[in-house]
CSV table of all heavy atoms in Angstrom, one decimal:
chain,number,residue,atom,x,y,z
A,157,ASP,N,-0.8,-0.1,10.1
A,157,ASP,CA,0.6,-0.1,10.8
A,157,ASP,C,1.5,-1.1,10.0
A,157,ASP,O,2.7,-0.8,9.7
A,157,ASP,CB,0.6,-0.4,12.3
A,157,ASP,CG,-0.1,0.7,13.0
A,157,ASP,OD1,0.2,1.8,12.8
A,157,ASP,OD2,-1.1,0.4,13.7
A,158,GLU,N,1.0,-2.2,9.6
A,158,GLU,CA,1.8,-3.2,8.8
A,158,GLU,C,2.1,-2.6,7.5
A,158,GLU,O,3.2,-2.7,6.9
A,158,GLU,CB,1.0,-4.6,8.7
A,158,GLU,CG,1.6,-5.5,7.8
A,158,GLU,CD,3.0,-6.1,8.0
A,158,GLU,OE1,3.6,-5.7,9.0
A,158,GLU,OE2,3.5,-6.8,7.2
A,159,ILE,N,1.1,-1.9,6.9
A,159,ILE,CA,1.4,-1.3,5.6
A,159,ILE,C,2.6,-0.3,5.7
A,159,ILE,O,3.4,-0.2,4.8
A,159,ILE,CB,0.2,-0.7,5.0
A,159,ILE,CG1,-0.9,-2.0,4.7
A,159,ILE,CG2,0.4,0.0,3.7
A,159,ILE,CD1,-2.3,-1.5,4.2
A,160,LEU,N,2.6,0.5,6.8
A,160,LEU,CA,3.7,1.5,6.9
A,160,LEU,C,5.0,0.8,7.1
A,160,LEU,O,6.0,1.2,6.7
A,160,LEU,CB,3.3,2.3,8.2
A,160,LEU,CG,2.5,3.5,8.0
A,160,LEU,CD1,2.3,4.2,9.3
A,160,LEU,CD2,2.9,4.5,6.9
A,161,ARG,N,4.9,-0.4,7.9
A,161,ARG,CA,6.1,-1.2,8.1
A,161,ARG,C,6.7,-1.7,6.7
A,161,ARG,O,8.0,-1.7,6.5
A,161,ARG,CB,5.8,-2.3,9.0
A,161,ARG,CG,7.1,-3.1,9.5
A,161,ARG,CD,6.6,-4.5,10.3
A,161,ARG,NE,6.3,-5.5,9.2
A,161,ARG,CZ,7.1,-6.4,8.7
A,161,ARG,NH1,8.3,-6.4,9.1
A,161,ARG,NH2,6.6,-7.2,7.8
A,162,VAL,N,5.9,-2.2,5.8
A,162,VAL,CA,6.3,-2.7,4.5
A,162,VAL,C,6.9,-1.5,3.8
A,162,VAL,O,7.9,-1.8,3.0
A,162,VAL,CB,5.3,-3.6,3.9
A,162,VAL,CG1,5.0,-4.8,4.6
A,162,VAL,CG2,4.1,-2.9,3.4
A,163,LEU,N,6.3,-0.5,3.9
A,163,LEU,CA,6.8,0.7,3.1
A,163,LEU,C,8.2,1.0,3.5
A,163,LEU,O,9.1,1.4,2.7
A,163,LEU,CB,5.9,1.9,3.3
A,163,LEU,CG,4.9,2.2,2.3
A,163,LEU,CD1,3.8,3.2,2.7
A,163,LEU,CD2,5.6,2.8,1.0
A,164,ASP,N,8.4,1.0,4.9
A,164,ASP,CA,9.7,1.3,5.3
A,164,ASP,C,10.8,0.3,4.7
A,164,ASP,O,11.9,0.7,4.4
A,164,ASP,CB,9.6,1.3,6.9
A,164,ASP,CG,9.1,2.5,7.4
A,164,ASP,OD1,9.0,3.6,6.8
A,164,ASP,OD2,8.6,2.6,8.6
A,165,SER,N,10.3,-1.1,4.7
A,165,SER,CA,11.2,-2.0,4.2
A,165,SER,C,11.4,-1.7,2.6
A,165,SER,O,12.5,-1.9,2.3
A,165,SER,CB,10.5,-3.4,4.5
A,165,SER,OG,11.3,-4.5,3.7
A,166,LEU,N,10.4,-1.5,2.1
A,166,LEU,CA,10.6,-1.3,0.5
A,166,LEU,C,11.5,0.0,0.2
A,166,LEU,O,12.4,-0.1,-0.8
A,166,LEU,CB,9.2,-1.0,-0.2
A,166,LEU,CG,8.2,-2.1,-0.2
A,166,LEU,CD1,6.8,-1.6,-0.6
A,166,LEU,CD2,8.6,-3.2,-1.2
A,167,GLN,N,11.4,1.0,1.1
A,167,GLN,CA,12.2,2.3,0.9
A,167,GLN,C,13.7,1.8,1.3
A,167,GLN,O,14.6,2.3,0.7
A,167,GLN,CB,11.6,3.3,1.5
A,167,GLN,CG,10.3,3.7,0.9
A,167,GLN,CD,9.6,5.0,1.4
A,167,GLN,OE1,10.0,5.6,2.5
A,167,GLN,NE2,8.7,5.5,0.5
A,168,LEU,N,13.8,1.0,2.3
A,168,LEU,CA,15.2,0.7,2.7
A,168,LEU,C,15.8,-0.2,1.5
A,168,LEU,O,17.0,0.0,1.3
A,168,LEU,CB,15.2,-0.2,4.0
A,168,LEU,CG,15.2,0.5,5.3
A,168,LEU,CD1,15.0,-0.5,6.4
A,168,LEU,CD2,16.6,1.3,5.5
A,169,THR,N,15.1,-1.0,1.0
A,169,THR,CA,15.6,-1.7,-0.2
A,169,THR,C,16.0,-0.9,-1.4
A,169,THR,O,17.1,-1.0,-1.9
A,169,THR,CB,14.6,-2.9,-0.6
A,169,THR,OG1,14.3,-3.7,0.5
A,169,THR,CG2,15.2,-3.7,-1.7
A,170,ALA,N,15.0,0.2,-1.6
A,170,ALA,CA,15.2,1.1,-2.8
A,170,ALA,C,16.4,2.0,-2.5
A,170,ALA,O,17.3,2.2,-3.5
A,170,ALA,CB,13.9,1.8,-3.0
A,171,TYR,N,16.6,2.5,-1.3
A,171,TYR,CA,17.5,3.5,-1.1
A,171,TYR,C,18.9,3.0,-0.5
A,171,TYR,O,19.9,3.6,-0.6
A,171,TYR,CB,16.9,4.5,-0.2
A,171,TYR,CG,15.9,5.3,-0.9
A,171,TYR,CD1,14.6,5.4,-0.1
A,171,TYR,CD2,15.7,5.6,-2.2
A,171,TYR,CE1,13.4,6.0,-0.7
A,171,TYR,CE2,14.7,6.2,-2.8
A,171,TYR,CZ,13.5,6.3,-2.1
A,171,TYR,OH,12.3,6.9,-2.7
A,172,LYS,N,18.9,2.0,0.3
A,172,LYS,CA,20.0,1.4,1.1
A,172,LYS,C,20.5,-0.1,0.6
A,172,LYS,O,21.4,-0.6,1.2
A,172,LYS,CB,19.7,1.5,2.5
A,172,LYS,CG,19.3,2.9,3.0
A,172,LYS,CD,20.5,3.8,3.0
A,172,LYS,CE,20.0,5.2,3.4
A,172,LYS,NZ,21.0,6.2,3.3
A,173,LYS,N,19.7,-0.6,-0.4
A,173,LYS,CA,20.1,-1.9,-0.9
A,173,LYS,C,20.2,-3.0,0.2
A,173,LYS,O,21.1,-3.8,0.2
A,173,LYS,CB,21.4,-2.0,-1.6
A,173,LYS,CG,21.4,-1.0,-2.9
A,173,LYS,CD,22.7,-1.0,-3.5
A,173,LYS,CE,22.7,-0.4,-4.9
A,173,LYS,NZ,22.0,0.8,-5.0
A,174,VAL,N,19.2,-2.9,1.2
A,174,VAL,CA,19.2,-4.1,2.2
A,174,VAL,C,17.9,-4.7,2.2
A,174,VAL,O,16.9,-4.2,1.6
A,174,VAL,CB,19.5,-3.6,3.6
A,174,VAL,CG1,20.8,-3.0,3.8
A,174,VAL,CG2,18.4,-2.4,4.0
A,175,ALA,N,17.7,-6.0,2.8
A,175,ALA,CA,16.4,-6.6,2.9
A,175,ALA,C,16.1,-6.5,4.5
A,175,ALA,O,17.0,-6.2,5.2
A,175,ALA,CB,16.6,-8.1,2.5
A,176,THR,N,14.9,-6.8,4.8
A,176,THR,CA,14.5,-6.9,6.2
A,176,THR,C,14.0,-8.2,6.6
A,176,THR,O,13.3,-8.9,5.9
A,176,THR,CB,13.4,-5.9,6.5
A,176,THR,OG1,12.2,-6.0,5.7
A,176,THR,CG2,13.8,-4.4,6.3
A,177,PRO,N,14.5,-8.7,7.8
A,177,PRO,CA,14.2,-10.1,8.0
A,177,PRO,C,12.8,-10.2,8.7
A,177,PRO,O,12.1,-9.3,9.0
A,177,PRO,CB,15.3,-10.4,9.2
A,177,PRO,CG,15.5,-9.1,9.8
A,177,PRO,CD,15.3,-8.2,8.7
A,178,VAL,N,12.4,-11.5,9.2
A,178,VAL,CA,11.1,-11.7,9.8
A,178,VAL,C,11.0,-10.8,10.9
A,178,VAL,O,11.8,-10.5,11.7
A,178,VAL,CB,11.1,-13.2,10.2
A,178,VAL,CG1,12.2,-13.5,11.2
A,178,VAL,CG2,9.6,-13.6,10.7
A,179,ASP,N,9.7,-10.3,11.0
A,179,ASP,CA,9.2,-9.5,12.1
A,179,ASP,C,10.1,-8.3,12.3
A,179,ASP,O,10.1,-7.7,13.5
A,179,ASP,CB,9.1,-10.2,13.4
A,179,ASP,CG,8.1,-11.5,13.3
A,179,ASP,OD1,7.2,-11.4,12.5
A,179,ASP,OD2,8.3,-12.5,14.1
A,180,TRP,N,10.8,-7.8,11.2
A,180,TRP,CA,11.6,-6.6,11.5
A,180,TRP,C,10.7,-5.3,11.7
A,180,TRP,O,9.7,-5.2,11.4
A,180,TRP,CB,12.3,-6.3,10.0
A,180,TRP,CG,13.0,-5.1,10.1
A,180,TRP,CD1,14.4,-4.8,10.6
A,180,TRP,CD2,12.6,-3.8,9.5
A,180,TRP,NE1,14.5,-3.4,10.3
A,180,TRP,CE2,13.6,-2.8,9.8
A,180,TRP,CE3,11.3,-3.5,9.0
A,180,TRP,CZ2,13.3,-1.5,9.4
A,180,TRP,CZ3,11.1,-2.2,8.5
A,180,TRP,CH2,12.2,-1.2,8.7
A,181,LYS,N,11.3,-4.6,12.6
A,181,LYS,CA,10.7,-3.3,12.9
A,181,LYS,C,11.8,-2.1,12.6
A,181,LYS,O,12.9,-2.4,12.9
A,181,LYS,CB,10.3,-3.2,14.3
A,181,LYS,CG,9.1,-4.2,14.8
A,181,LYS,CD,8.5,-3.8,16.1
A,181,LYS,CE,7.4,-4.7,16.5
A,181,LYS,NZ,8.0,-6.1,16.8
A,182,PRO,N,11.4,-0.9,12.3
A,182,PRO,CA,12.3,0.1,12.1
A,182,PRO,C,13.2,0.3,13.2
A,182,PRO,O,12.8,0.3,14.4
A,182,PRO,CB,11.3,1.5,12.0
A,182,PRO,CG,10.1,0.9,11.4
A,182,PRO,CD,9.9,-0.5,12.1
A,183,GLY,N,14.5,0.3,12.9
A,183,GLY,CA,15.6,0.5,14.0
A,183,GLY,C,16.2,-0.9,14.2
A,183,GLY,O,17.4,-0.8,14.7
A,184,GLY,N,15.6,-2.0,13.7
A,184,GLY,CA,16.2,-3.3,14.0
A,184,GLY,C,17.3,-3.6,12.9
A,184,GLY,O,17.3,-2.9,12.0
A,185,SER,N,18.1,-4.6,13.2
A,185,SER,CA,19.2,-5.1,12.2
A,185,SER,C,18.5,-5.4,10.8
A,185,SER,O,17.3,-5.9,10.9
A,185,SER,CB,19.9,-6.3,12.7
A,185,SER,OG,20.7,-5.8,13.7
A,186,VAL,N,19.2,-5.2,9.8
A,186,VAL,CA,18.6,-5.6,8.5
A,186,VAL,C,19.5,-6.5,7.9
A,186,VAL,O,20.6,-6.8,8.3
A,186,VAL,CB,18.5,-4.2,7.6
A,186,VAL,CG1,17.5,-3.3,8.2
A,186,VAL,CG2,19.9,-3.6,7.4
A,187,MET,N,19.4,-7.1,6.7
A,187,MET,CA,20.0,-8.1,6.1
A,187,MET,C,20.8,-7.7,4.8
A,187,MET,O,20.1,-6.9,4.1
A,187,MET,CB,19.2,-9.3,5.8
A,187,MET,CG,18.4,-9.6,7.1
A,187,MET,SD,18.0,-11.4,7.2
A,187,MET,CE,19.4,-12.2,7.8
A,188,VAL,N,21.9,-8.2,4.6
A,188,VAL,CA,22.6,-8.0,3.4
A,188,VAL,C,22.0,-8.9,2.3
A,188,VAL,O,21.9,-10.1,2.5
A,188,VAL,CB,24.1,-8.2,3.5
A,188,VAL,CG1,24.9,-8.0,2.2
A,188,VAL,CG2,24.7,-7.3,4.6
A,189,VAL,N,21.7,-8.4,1.1
A,189,VAL,CA,21.0,-9.2,0.1
A,189,VAL,C,22.0,-10.3,-0.4
A,189,VAL,O,23.2,-10.0,-0.5
A,189,VAL,CB,20.4,-8.5,-1.0
A,189,VAL,CG1,19.3,-7.5,-0.5
A,189,VAL,CG2,21.4,-7.6,-1.8
A,190,PRO,N,21.5,-11.5,-0.7
A,190,PRO,CA,22.4,-12.6,-1.1
A,190,PRO,C,23.3,-12.3,-2.3
A,190,PRO,O,24.4,-12.9,-2.5
A,190,PRO,CB,21.5,-13.7,-1.4
A,190,PRO,CG,20.2,-13.4,-0.8
A,190,PRO,CD,20.1,-11.9,-0.7
A,191,THR,N,22.8,-11.4,-3.2
A,191,THR,CA,23.6,-11.1,-4.5
A,191,THR,C,24.8,-10.3,-4.2
A,191,THR,O,25.6,-10.0,-5.1
A,191,THR,CB,22.6,-10.5,-5.5
A,191,THR,OG1,21.9,-9.4,-4.9
A,191,THR,CG2,21.7,-11.4,-6.1
A,192,LEU,N,24.9,-9.6,-3.0
A,192,LEU,CA,25.9,-8.6,-2.8
A,192,LEU,C,27.2,-9.4,-2.3
A,192,LEU,O,27.2,-9.9,-1.2
A,192,LEU,CB,25.5,-7.5,-1.8
A,192,LEU,CG,26.4,-6.3,-1.7
A,192,LEU,CD1,26.3,-5.6,-3.1
A,192,LEU,CD2,26.0,-5.6,-0.5
A,193,PRO,N,28.4,-9.3,-3.0
A,193,PRO,CA,29.5,-10.1,-2.6
A,193,PRO,C,30.1,-9.3,-1.2
A,193,PRO,O,29.9,-8.1,-1.0
A,193,PRO,CB,30.6,-9.7,-3.7
A,193,PRO,CG,29.8,-9.2,-4.9
A,193,PRO,CD,28.6,-8.7,-4.3
A,194,ASP,N,30.8,-10.1,-0.4
A,194,ASP,CA,31.3,-9.8,0.9
A,194,ASP,C,32.0,-8.4,0.8
A,194,ASP,O,32.0,-7.6,1.6
A,194,ASP,CB,32.1,-10.8,1.5
A,194,ASP,CG,31.3,-12.0,2.3
A,194,ASP,OD1,30.1,-11.7,2.5
A,194,ASP,OD2,31.8,-13.0,2.3
A,195,GLU,N,33.1,-8.3,-0.1
A,195,GLU,CA,33.8,-7.1,-0.2
A,195,GLU,C,33.0,-5.9,-0.4
A,195,GLU,O,33.2,-4.8,0.2
A,195,GLU,CB,34.9,-7.4,-1.4
A,195,GLU,CG,36.0,-8.3,-0.9
A,195,GLU,CD,36.6,-8.0,0.4
A,195,GLU,OE1,36.9,-6.7,0.6
A,195,GLU,OE2,36.7,-8.9,1.3
A,196,GLU,N,32.0,-6.0,-1.3
A,196,GLU,CA,31.2,-4.9,-1.5
A,196,GLU,C,30.3,-4.5,-0.2
A,196,GLU,O,30.1,-3.4,-0.1
A,196,GLU,CB,30.2,-5.1,-2.7
A,196,GLU,CG,31.0,-4.9,-4.1
A,196,GLU,CD,30.1,-5.1,-5.3
A,196,GLU,OE1,29.0,-4.5,-5.2
A,196,GLU,OE2,30.4,-5.8,-6.1
A,197,ALA,N,29.9,-5.5,0.4
A,197,ALA,CA,29.1,-5.3,1.6
A,197,ALA,C,29.8,-4.6,2.7
A,197,ALA,O,29.3,-3.6,3.2
A,197,ALA,CB,28.5,-6.6,2.1
A,198,LYS,N,31.1,-4.9,2.7
A,198,LYS,CA,31.9,-4.3,3.8
A,198,LYS,C,32.1,-2.7,3.5
A,198,LYS,O,31.9,-1.9,4.4
A,198,LYS,CB,33.3,-4.8,3.9
A,198,LYS,CG,33.4,-6.0,4.8
A,198,LYS,CD,35.0,-6.4,5.0
A,198,LYS,CE,35.0,-7.9,5.0
A,198,LYS,NZ,36.2,-8.5,4.5
A,199,LYS,N,32.2,-2.5,2.2
A,199,LYS,CA,32.3,-1.0,1.8
A,199,LYS,C,31.0,-0.3,1.9
A,199,LYS,O,30.9,0.9,2.5
A,199,LYS,CB,32.7,-0.9,0.3
A,199,LYS,CG,34.2,-1.2,0.1
A,199,LYS,CD,34.7,-0.8,-1.4
A,199,LYS,CE,35.4,-1.9,-1.9
A,199,LYS,NZ,35.2,-2.2,-3.3
A,200,LEU,N,29.9,-0.9,1.5
A,200,LEU,CA,28.6,-0.3,1.6
A,200,LEU,C,28.1,-0.1,3.0
A,200,LEU,O,27.3,0.9,3.2
A,200,LEU,CB,27.6,-1.2,0.8
A,200,LEU,CG,26.4,-0.5,0.3
A,200,LEU,CD1,26.8,0.6,-0.7
A,200,LEU,CD2,25.6,-1.6,-0.6
A,201,PHE,N,28.5,-1.0,4.0
A,201,PHE,CA,27.9,-0.9,5.3
A,201,PHE,C,28.9,-0.7,6.3
A,201,PHE,O,29.5,-1.6,6.9
A,201,PHE,CB,27.1,-2.2,5.6
A,201,PHE,CG,26.1,-2.5,4.6
A,201,PHE,CD1,26.0,-3.5,3.8
A,201,PHE,CD2,25.0,-1.6,4.3
A,201,PHE,CE1,25.1,-3.8,2.8
A,201,PHE,CE2,24.1,-1.8,3.4
A,201,PHE,CZ,24.1,-2.9,2.7
Side-chain angles (χ1 to χ4, degrees):
D157 291 306
E158 168 62 5
I159 294 172
L160 279 180
R161 190 192 74 92
V162 297
L163 259 166
D164 286 336
S165 171
L166 291 171
Q167 294 190 340
L168 272 172
T169 303
Y171 302 131
K172 304 292 177 184
K173 297 188 169 38
V174 293
T176 57
V178 62
D179 296 338
W180 172 83
K181 292 196 183 69
S185 290
V186 296
M187 310 205 81
V188 177
V189 294
T191 46
L192 193 72
D194 280 340
E195 281 314 306
E196 278 181 50
K198 270 190 218 152
K199 280 189 231 150
L200 201 58
F201 306 117

